Amino acid sequence: MTTNVMIVGVGGQGSLLASKLLGQVLLNKGYQVKVSEVHGMSQRGGSVVTYVRFGDKVYSPIIDKGEADCIISFETLEAARYMENLKSGGTVIVNEQEIDPMPVITGAASYPEKLLDKMREAGAKVDAIDALSLALKAGSAKSANIVLMGRFSTYYKDIAEQDWLDALAQCVKPQFLEMNKKAFALGRNG
């Protein structure tokens, strides 16, 4: 059986580190892992998507429409944008932060309202978290990605917290490790 996870966000939010962390913890636990990164206009705040597939045998890194078991979203609109990829009854872990896309900034459109409610109405299990506030509590807004990974970790009981922390130590520079451990704990326990 293969598990499919999409990590979505806006350029600069740390989705690539989050996918690296997830891939590392899964490799450490002996899973076969395929990761595919799709960069949009990441340098300019555009959409960034990473596919992570894991299991005993994984043949392709791509997740098609209706196949994602979980979407981890660093921003609310990005979660809504990729809802068609979520399988029926799948889970969306979403940072409640809203980042205005260019059409909203220029006044050509307005930010869509009640997106979390719409996702729930579409049948998704929505786990909304204020990752930005927790990241600030950990010491930096940049650790919101690790807060979200902490929350995601609660869905996989066969991977111990220490396994996640070991993988975090493999993925993060030593000078940022303690802050990221704190961010992970806040997401996991918050």
Side-chain angles (χ1 to χ4, degrees), residues 2-7 34 36 38 49-54 60-71 82 84-87:
T2 301
T3 301
N4 301 310
V5 178
M6 291 180 67
I7 300 173
K34 300 273 193 239
S36 174
V38 179
V49 182
T50 305
Y51 303 117
V52 180
R53 302 186 73 222
F54 63 97
S60 167
I62 303 301
I63 299 171
D64 288 324
K65 290 181 173 118
E67 289 186 347
D69 296 285
C70 182
I71 295 174
Y82 291 99
E84 67 184 2
N85 291 78
L86 191 68
K87 73 186 203 180

Side-chain angles (χ1 to χ4, degrees), residues 19 29 38 54 61 68 90 92 118-119 130 135 140 156 160 165 171 187:
S19 63
K29 292 299 288 180
V38 179
F54 63 97
V92 178
K118 290 175 183 174
M119 287 183 247
D130 186 351
S140 172
Y156 292 90
L165 295 176
C171 296

Side-chain angles (χ1 to χ4, degrees), residues 11-181:
Q13 288 188 297
S15 60
L16 300 182
L17 174 59
S19 63
K20 181 179 177 183
L21 172 60
L22 179 55
Q24 189 63 57
V25 76
L26 294 168
L27 283 172
N28 291 352
K29 292 299 288 180
Y31 289 100
Q32 190 173 88
V33 182
K34 300 273 193 239
V35 177
S36 174
E37 298 166 358
V38 179
H39 302 272
M41 293 285 286
S42 59
Q43 294 287 326
R44 299 178 185 244
S47 188
V48 178
V49 182
T50 305
Y51 303 117
V52 180
R53 302 186 73 222
F54 63 97
D56 293 328
K57 278 278 186 211
V58 181
Y59 298 101
S60 167
I62 303 301
I63 299 171
D64 288 324
K65 290 181 173 118
E67 289 186 347
D69 296 285
C70 182
I71 295 174
I72 303 167
S73 181
F74 295 9
E75 194 273 338
T76 307
L77 185 57
E78 291 301 312
R81 183 186 319 269
Y82 291 99
M83 279 296 296
E84 67 184 2
N85 291 78
L86 191 68
K87 73 186 203 180
S88 179
T91 300
V92 178
I93 300 170
V94 59
N95 181 6
E96 295 172 342
Q97 184 178 7
E98 296 179 356
I99 298 174
D100 290 340
M102 195 53 68
V104 173
I105 292 170
T106 62
S110 57
Y111 197 95
E113 295 182 9
K114 300 182 181 181
L115 288 174
L116 297 176
D117 291 338
K118 290 175 183 174
M119 287 183 247
R120 287 183 186 103
E121 289 166 10
K125 296 173 190 160
V126 178
D127 183 355
I129 179 173
D130 186 351
L132 181 58
S133 292
L134 292 174
L136 290 169
K137 193 185 268 189
S140 172
K142 291 183 177 185
S143 65
N145 57 344
I146 304 302
V147 169
L148 287 164
M149 295 311 294
R151 178 59 65 95
F152 175 77
S153 75
T154 65
Y155 288 84
Y156 292 90
K157 306 292 185 206
D158 61 326
I159 302 175
E161 183 173 3
Q162 189 58 52
D163 295 325
W164 286 94
L165 295 176
D166 292 345
L168 193 59
Q170 291 175 278
C171 296
V172 174
K173 291 180 182 176
Q175 64 265 36
F176 302 118
L177 184 57
E178 287 309 311
M179 178 191 63
N180 280 288
K181 281 183 175 181

